[in-house]
C-alpha cells in the first residue's frame, strides 16, 4: 500500500513534468522515500502514444488521430527494458496498415530509442536500439532471446561509423534494405540494364536509383515536382521526369527506346501500366508499394489498368515482397549501404519534423509527396 500510495499520488495527482521541483514532506517514511526514488526521472511515469481516433477515409487528416496519455509503472520485470524515443519514422505502408486497425489502436512504426532502465543483460541502460514500437514516446518491451530480436521487434543500433542515428530509420534501416534487397534480389539487374523507378525521390526510390547506378544500370526516375526531378539528376539518375507534367507513353517511347529491363514499383496504378507496356522480354518487376491506391476504399476492388498480354508474352516476372523476408541478411544490407555512403557513392537527404506532436502531419506530408528523401521526426 505505501508504494502505491506514493506512486499513484505522484503520477495521477501531482503529474510532475521533467525538470520541475518536487517537495516531499516526511521524506524518510515509506511513502516519502518511494516518491523521492521515482522523482529522480519524473519524465518516466507519464507517456504518450498516437492512436486512431476514427477510421480514415481517403487522405488522412490530423483529426483522424489522437494522443493518449497513460501512466507507466517504471518497475520492470525480469527481461524488460524501458526506452525513450529519440527519432521516429512515418512511411507510406502505414496508410494501408491503418485500414486494418481497430479504432483506438496505436499506429505502427519504428523508432530509434535509448534504454532508460533495464532488466535485460543484453540491453544495459544507455543502449540505443531500433524498435518496432509504434507511435509512442516511452516503451516497456521484453526483447527476449537473440533469436527473438530483429527488425520485426527490436535490435541494437547498428554500427553506423559516425553517421547520424536517424539513418537507422532510413537508408541504413527498413527503407534502405527495402531498396537494396528489392533491387538486387528481385530485379537482379545486370550492367547495362535499363531500370525505371517510380516515387524516385522518396526514402526507398532515391536509394534504388543510386544503387542501380552503382551496379551499372541506365536509371530513369519519376517524381512529382520539378524540384525533386532536379534532385534526382544531382543524385546521378540518367533521366528524371515529373510524372505529373509528361505524357508517360510518349516519354517511354522517345526516351527508353531500348526498352525497360527492371522496374521498381512504388506506386502501382496507371504508371505501372505504361511501364509494363514498354518492358523487354524477360523483364523483372519488384512490387514494393502501391501508394496510388492506399487512400481508396479498401472494401471494394481496386480498378486499375493492367497489361496482361505484355506480361504474359514477354515473360515478365512481377514479384511482391515484404522486406522482413530478408531479416537474416539485415545487417549485411545495412553495412553495404553504410559503406557506400562513407565512400561517397550514396547521397542521403532527410525531411525532418520537430516534436512527437508533429507525427500525424508528417505522415500526411509523406502521402502527399511533400517530403524529399526520408521523412523523419525528431522526438
Amino acid at each position: 500500500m505505501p508504494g502505491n500510495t506514493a506512486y499513484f499520488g505522484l503520477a495521477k495527482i501531482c503529474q510532475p513534468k521533467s525538470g520541475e521541483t518536487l517537495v516531499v514532506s516526511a521524506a524518510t517514511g515509506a511513502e516519502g522515500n518511494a516518491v523521492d526514488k521515482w522523482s529522480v526521472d519524473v519524465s518516466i511515469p507519464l507517456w504518450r502514444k498516437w492512436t486512431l481516433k476514427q477510421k480514415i477515409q481517403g487522405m488522412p487528416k490530423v483529426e483522424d488521430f489522437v494522443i493518449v496519455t497513460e501512466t507507466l509503472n517504471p518497475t520492470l520485470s525480469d527481461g524488460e527494458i524501458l526506452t525513450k524515443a529519440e527519432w521516429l519514422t512515418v512511411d507510406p505502408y502505414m496508410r494501408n496498415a491503418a485500414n486494418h486497425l481497430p479504432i483506438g489502436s496505436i499506429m505502427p512504426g519504428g523508432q530509434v530509442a535509448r534504454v532508460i532502465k533495464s532488466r535485460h543483460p543484453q540491453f544495459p541502460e544507455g543502449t540505443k536500439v531500433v524498435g518496432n514500437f509504434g507511435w509512442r514516446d516511452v516503451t516497456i518491451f521484453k526483447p527476449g532471446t537473440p533469436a527473438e530480436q530483429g527488425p520485426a521487434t527490436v535490435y541494437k543500433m547498428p554500427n553506423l561509423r559516425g553517421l547520424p542515428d536517424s539513418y537507422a530509420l532510413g537508408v541504413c534501416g527498413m527503407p534502405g534494405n527495402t531498396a537494396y534487397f528489392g533491387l538486387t534480389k528481385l530485379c537482379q539487374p545486370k550492367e547495362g540494364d535499363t531500370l525505371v523507378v517510380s516515387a524516385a525521390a522518396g526514402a526507398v526510390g532515391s536509394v534504388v536509383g543510386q544503387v542501380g547506378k552503382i551496379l551499372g544500370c541506365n536509371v530513369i526516375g519519376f517524381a512529382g515536382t520539378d524540384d525533386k526531378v532536379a534532385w534526382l539528376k544531382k543524385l546521378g539518375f540518367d533521366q528524371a521526369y515529373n510524372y505529373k507534367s509528361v505524357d508517360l507513353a510518349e516519354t517511354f517511347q522517345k526516351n527508353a527506346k531500348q526498352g525497360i529491363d527492371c522496374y521498381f514499383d512504388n506506386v502501382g496504378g496507371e504508371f505501372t501500366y505504361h511501364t509494363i507496356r514498354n518492358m523487354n522480354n524477360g523483364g523483372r518487376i519488384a512490387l514494393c508499394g502501391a501508394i496510388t491506391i492506399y487512400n481508396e476504399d479498401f472494401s471494394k476492388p481496386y480498378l486499375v489498368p493492367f497489361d496482361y498480354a505484355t506480361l504474359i508474352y514477354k515473360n515478365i516476372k512481377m514479384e511482391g515482397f515484404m522486406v522482413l523476408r530478408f531479416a537474416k541478411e539485415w545487417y549485411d544490407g545495412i553495412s553495404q549501404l553504410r559503406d557506400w555512403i562513407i565512400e561517397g557513392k550514396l547521397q542521403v537527404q532527410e525531411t525532418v519534423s520537430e516534436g512527437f506532436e508533429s507525427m500525424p502531419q508528417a505522415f500526411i506530408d509523406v502521402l502527399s509527396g511533400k517530403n524529399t528523401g526520408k521523412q523523419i521526426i525528431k522526438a
Side-chain angles (χ1 to χ4, degrees):
M1 182 188 73
N4 274 347
T5 299
Y7 174 69
F8 290 115
L10 177 65
K12 296 288 191 179
I13 298 175
C14 291
Q15 298 183 356
K17 303 179 183 68
S18 183
E20 288 187 337
T21 299
L22 173 68
V23 174
V24 184
S25 59
T28 59
E31 290 91 346
N33 182 59
V35 167
D36 181 63
K37 175 183 176 182
W38 284 321
S39 65
V40 171
D41 186 350
V42 296
S43 66
I44 290 178
L46 300 177
W47 62 286
R48 301 170 298 169
K49 62 181 180 180
W50 279 103
T51 65
L52 272 180
K53 183 179 180 181
Q54 57 196 15
K55 280 293 184 181
I56 300 174
Q57 303 294 329
M59 178 65 73
K61 306 179 294 296
V62 173
E63 295 75 21
D64 292 329
F65 309 93
V66 62
I67 284 184
V68 175
T69 302
E70 296 184 358
T71 302
L72 182 66
N73 190 333
T75 302
L76 302 180
S77 300
D78 286 341
E80 289 185 332
I81 58 174
L82 187 149
T83 67
K84 181 74 170 66
E86 296 185 350
W87 296 92
L88 300 107
T89 179
V90 286
D91 299 283
Y93 80 87
M94 298 174 184
R95 176 62 186 90
N96 185 57
N99 287 336
H100 307 283
L101 294 176
I103 294 173
S105 298
I106 186 171
M107 285 292 293
Q111 58 179 252
V112 169
R114 184 182 296 273
V115 176
I116 303 300
K117 290 189 176 183
S118 176
R119 293 191 65 182
H120 194 296
Q122 289 183 276
F123 296 87
E125 292 182 14
T127 302
K128 290 183 180 180
V129 300
V130 180
N132 195 27
F133 299 152
W135 294 13
R136 55 167 33 114
D137 58 358
V138 176
T139 304
I140 288 180
F141 192 80
K142 193 168 186 176
T145 66
E148 296 172 306
Q149 298 160 22
T153 53
V154 65
Y155 59 97
K156 287 185 178 180
M157 172 72 76
N159 180 9
L160 298 185
R161 296 185 180 175
L163 297 177
D165 289 348
S166 57
Y167 284 16
L169 297 177
V171 65
C172 293
M174 184 273 291
N177 272 346
T178 298
Y180 177 71
F181 290 118
L183 180 63
T184 60
K185 299 285 191 179
L186 276 67
C187 286
Q188 299 181 352
K190 299 181 289 291
E191 186 173 1
D193 277 354
T194 294
L195 165 67
V196 168
V197 186
S198 56
V204 174
S206 60
V207 177
V208 171
Q210 292 184 84
V211 173
K213 288 303 301 176
I214 292 171
L215 299 178
C217 294
N218 170 44
V219 181
I220 306 175
F222 289 82
T225 71
D226 291 341
D227 287 342
K228 291 181 178 182
V229 168
W231 181 59
L232 294 180
K233 291 179 179 178
K234 289 181 180 178
L235 295 182
F237 282 59
D238 296 282
Q239 300 177 53
Y241 301 97
N242 184 341
Y243 73 90
K244 295 179 181 178
S245 59
V246 300
D247 181 286
L248 291 174
E250 182 179 335
T251 298
F252 283 131
Q253 290 165 10
K254 288 185 176 180
N255 301 292
K257 293 180 180 179
Q258 71 279 17
I260 298 164
D261 302 292
C262 303
Y263 171 40
F264 199 99
D265 187 4
N266 290 306
V267 300
E270 186 176 349
F271 187 97
T272 295
Y273 168 79
H274 286 290
T275 306
I276 290 175
R277 289 181 67 84
N278 289 276
M279 293 193 75
N280 289 326
N281 188 59
R284 289 86 66 200
I285 302 172
L287 185 55
C288 174
I291 198 169
T292 56
I293 64 170
Y294 287 161
N295 291 319
E296 299 296 323
D297 183 352
F298 72 96
S299 67
K300 300 177 181 178
Y302 299 125
L303 302 178
V304 297
F306 195 82
D307 189 351
Y308 288 98
T310 299
L311 201 72
I312 294 169
Y313 292 109
K314 287 190 174 181
N315 301 291
I316 295 170
K317 180 181 179 181
M318 172 184 275
E319 183 175 357
F321 75 103
M322 295 289 288
V323 69
L324 291 180
R325 72 192 260 190
F326 304 109
K328 292 182 179 180
E329 303 170 77
W330 199 258
Y331 282 106
D332 295 336
I334 291 173
S335 296
Q336 179 62 84
L337 293 163
R338 175 204 62 200
D339 290 347
W340 278 335
I341 296 170
I342 294 172
E343 293 166 7
K345 296 178 180 178
L346 194 59
Q347 298 181 51
V348 181
Q349 183 163 329
E350 295 178 321
T351 301
V352 181
S353 298
E354 293 284 342
F356 182 74
E357 298 80 6
S358 69
M359 291 201 69
Q361 187 59 56
F363 179 47
I364 294 167
D365 288 348
V366 167
L367 295 174
S368 303
K370 294 182 179 180
N371 64 299
T372 300
K374 182 71 185 83
Q375 178 73 53
I376 210 82
I377 296 91
K378 186 176 182 180

